[in-house]
Amino acid sequence: MTTVADFIRDTLGCLGVVDVRQPVRPEDMQTGIRFLNRVVTRLEASQLSLGWADVSSPSDTLPLPPEAELGVMYLLAIVLAPQYLVSPSAEVMGGAEIFMSDLRRDQAVATPIRPILDAPTPDLWNRRVNTDFLAG
């Protein structure tokens, strides 16, 4: 299982702001954790269900499915870039686009939209509204 510390280190490594062979400074770790919670909470609010629970410690296990890690990592790198006054590379930008697209597709396949069979059609709705209005 991936730890939050490994995830943040890899994310900052994607931006080129840390050496992935070295520990991340505590203030950078806290910034990474804070933004990670914000990013994934936003994704879930946008109906990308990842089973997220906020993390608070570098030793926490990352509460993401393995297939979501790269997409979230690249997206987090893009969001963190202004904090470090750097621009994400084309590879990070492209990776975020590809992996997030894959996650959205996976979500759509896992929870397909089913039609509501007993929903009123526009014609039926109009007749009901007009009839009720005229009768009242």
Side-chain angles (χ1 to χ4, degrees), residues 37-120:
N37 285 324
R38 291 173 181 165
V39 165
V40 183
T41 298
R42 177 66 255 166
L43 290 174
E44 291 222 327
S46 298
Q47 299 183 355
L48 187 59
S49 180
L50 299 170
W52 183 253
D54 279 0
V55 295
S56 58
S57 170
S59 62
D60 288 347
T61 299
L62 188 70
L64 282 175
E67 64 273 13
E69 289 185 17
L70 282 173
V72 173
M73 182 180 70
Y74 284 134
L75 182 59
L76 180 60
I78 292 168
V79 171
L80 282 173
Q83 298 294 313
Y84 293 93
L85 303 174
V86 299
S87 294
S89 68
E91 291 81 10
V92 169
M93 297 293 287
E97 185 176 334
I98 290 167
F99 290 117
M100 292 309 296
S101 177
D102 288 348
L103 284 175
R104 287 185 192 93
R105 184 200 63 233
D106 292 349
Q107 181 78 36
V109 170
T111 55
I113 298 172
R114 296 182 194 161
I116 301 171
L117 300 177
D118 62 347

Side-chain angles (χ1 to χ4, degrees), residues 6-23:
D6 291 338
F7 189 81
I8 298 299
R9 185 191 65 238
D10 293 345
T11 301
L12 295 174
C14 282
L15 283 174
V17 296
V18 300
D19 180 343
V20 295
R21 299 169 295 190
Q22 299 294 320

